[in-house]
Amino acid sequence: MTPQTQQFPVSAHRPDGRRAWSMLVLLTLAAGVSAPGQTIGVSVFIDPMLAALPVSRTQLSAAYLVGTLAGALALPRVGSWTDRVGVRRALLLVLGLFALATAVASQVVGLVTVTLSFTAMRLLGQGSLGVVTGTAVAVWFVRRRGLAMGLMATGSALLLAGAPLLFGRLIPAFGWRVTWAVASLLVAGAFVAVALALPAQPGARDDHGPSRTIPAVGGSTSSSGDAVRSFTRRAAMRTRAFWGIAAVASAINLLVTAVTFHHISIMAERGLDTLAATAVFLPQMIGGLLSGVAVGWLADRIAGRWTLALSMTLAAAGLLVGTVVTPGPVAVVYGLLIGAAPGAIRAVEGALLPDWFGTAHVGAIRGALASISIGMTAVGPLLLSLLEPLTFTVGLRVLAGIAWGFVALAVTIVPPTEGPRRSVAAAVPDRRNGGARGSSA
C-alpha cells in the first residue's frame, strides 16, 4: 500500500505545535492513574481478597467478567458523549467518579459488592479513561499521531507497571482495604492536576496558517479545504477494517488480561515466589515502554496490517515463553513480551482509527472499539481459570495457539476502500471545553 497525501494546517495557537505536546503529558498522567481499574493493578489484590472474602477464585473471576462486560456496554455512549461535550469536561468527570469508585472498593464485603465495584472501576478506569485520552490525542495530533499515541502508551505503561509494585508493598503493611483508599487518593491527585493545567480550549487548526503534508491512508492528495474521510460510528462498524482492528485488539487484550489476572499463581507454578513474580512486572513495564514508542513510530510509516501483525506476534511469543518460564532471564523475556503487546496495540489502534475513519466521530468509534475489546478481556481470566485443573502451563499453550491464528488474520486487514467524505474544516468541529478542535503536532 502506497501512502497518499493530505495537507493539514499547523496549530494557529502555537505554530510549532508545542502546546499539544504539553497536553500529552497531562493525558499520559490521566491514562496512568487508571491502574486501579486495570488488570495489572487488580491482580495484586486478588489473593488477599480471596483470603478475606467468602468467594472462590472462579467466583471472583466471574465477577470480574460480569463487571467488565457491564462496564464495556456503556463505552460507545461514553465516546459519543466525549465528542459532544469536549475532552476536558469528560476527563474531569471520569476522573472524579473513578476516584470515588476506587474508594468504595475498600468497603466490599461479598460477591455482589465485588461485582458492582469491578463494574464501576472497569467502566471508569480501563474503559472511559482510555476512550477520552485516546480521543484527545486523535484530534490534537496529525502528522505524528502514531508517535504521540506511542508516547502516551509508553508513559502510561510506566505508571501502570509501578502500580503493582506500590500496591504489593502497601498490602502486606496496611492491608488491601487501606491500599484501595490510597489508590483513590492518587486518582484524585490526577483530577486536581488536570483541573488546574489542562486548557479549556486547545490550539485549533487554522485555514490561514501554513500547511504541512502528511501521509494518509486512503483518500486523495488534497489541500486543507479538500475532502477527507469522515465515518460515523455506524458507517465504520460496517467495514471489514473496523472489525479487523477490533479482532486483533480484543485478542491481545483478552490474552494478556488472562495471564496478568492470574500472574502470581502462574509464576508460582513455574517456581517463582511472590516477590520474584511481582518483580516480573518491571520487564513488563520496560516492554510496554519500548514497544509503545517503536511501534507508534512505525505506525506513521508502514501499512497498518504489518503493525497489527507485529503487535499480535509479540503476544503470541510471550505466551509461548510463559510455558517455559523459570526464575532469571527467561522470566525477564516473558515480562518484556507480555508488556510489549498491549503497548504496541494501543499505539497502533490510536493511529489507525483516525487515519482510516477520520476524526469527526473518532470518540464514538473509539468507544465502540473499546466496548468490544474490553468486553472480550472479561473472558480471559475466566477462560484461564477453567483451564487451571490442567495446569496453567497447558492453559498458556492453548492461548498461544489462539494467538498465532490471529497473527495470520492481522496480515489480511486493509483500510476501507470507500467511505463518506467531508471537508477538513468540517471534519474538525469546534468543541466546548477542549473538544475536537486540534493542533497538528
Side-chain angles (χ1 to χ4, degrees), residues 307-324:
T307 50
L308 288 168
L310 174 59
S311 302
M312 195 72 242
T313 299
L314 292 169
L319 292 167
L320 280 181
V321 173
T323 65
V324 295

Side-chain angles (χ1 to χ4, degrees), residues 150-185:
L151 289 171
M152 186 174 74
T154 295
S156 61
L158 177 63
L159 295 173
L160 290 173
L165 300 177
L166 174 63
F167 298 159
R169 290 185 176 275
L170 291 176
I171 290 173
F174 303 103
W176 60 271
R177 294 186 185 276
V178 172
T179 303
W180 277 128
V182 172
S184 173
L185 294 177

Side-chain angles (χ1 to χ4, degrees), residues 3 120 247 351 399 401:
L399 298 186

Side-chain angles (χ1 to χ4, degrees), residues 74-84 131-132 135 233 361-368:
L75 291 181
R77 291 186 178 274
V78 172
S80 299
W81 171 70
T82 302
D83 286 333
R84 186 171 66 254
V131 169
V132 176
T135 298
R233 180 178 64 199
H361 305 283
V362 70
I365 296 170
R366 284 189 63 85

Side-chain angles (χ1 to χ4, degrees), residues 41 47 129 143 171 292 296 336 349 385:
D47 288 345
L129 277 178
R143 190 178 67 181
I171 290 173
L336 286 170
E349 69 176 49
S385 72

